[in-house]
Amino acid sequence: DSGEIVPALAESWEVSEDGLSFTFKLRQGVKFHNGEDFTAESVVATWETGKDPKNDYTDSYLRVSSVEVIDDFTVKLTSETPNPVFLTEVAAGWGIVPPAYI
């Protein structure tokens, strides 16, 4: 109700000083409906698919220039310019998909 962004699939996140990178600590123990584990690789696979020009929702994924796996449950998203509504856009526009389904 207050418009505050609260963690769900990510337990926490840090924003770089320049506002270009967001490093997310992902919640462990989350499983997709098909039984696959939710990991940093799931985020990368979704982004790779999402940014494909054949995707109808490419715009949501092009706000990020790179996605880097730090470890199984840490992922870093980087954009080319600072974006004060980045967290809202990712939360509203990215539906994370199990890699096996992609």
Side-chain angles (χ1 to χ4, degrees):
D1 291 339
S2 68
E4 181 182 355
I5 297 172
V6 296
L9 287 176
E11 292 182 337
S12 63
W13 56 85
E14 293 180 9
V15 183
S16 63
E17 281 192 38
D18 61 8
L20 299 178
S21 297
F22 290 72
T23 302
F24 295 89
K25 288 287 191 184
L26 304 179
R27 189 169 308 282
Q28 296 185 34
V30 175
K31 294 206 179 273
F32 288 103
H33 65 283
N34 67 349
E36 275 185 79
D37 291 327
F38 168 67
T39 67
E41 289 293 340
S42 308
V43 177
V44 171
T46 297
W47 176 68
E48 289 287 340
T49 301
K51 71 178 187 152
D52 185 324
K54 296 178 209 160
N55 179 354
D56 290 338
Y57 305 100
T58 303
D59 290 348
S60 296
Y61 297 93
L62 293 180
R63 290 182 173 91
V64 174
S65 56
S66 68
V67 178
E68 176 186 354
V69 172
I70 306 300
D71 61 39
D72 287 346
F73 296 101
T74 309
V75 63
K76 180 178 179 181
L77 282 61
T78 303
S79 61
E80 293 180 7
T81 58
N83 180 350
V85 295
F86 180 80
L87 289 173
T88 302
E89 291 177 347
V90 170
W94 285 35
I96 305 298
V97 180
Y101 274 37
I102 296 172

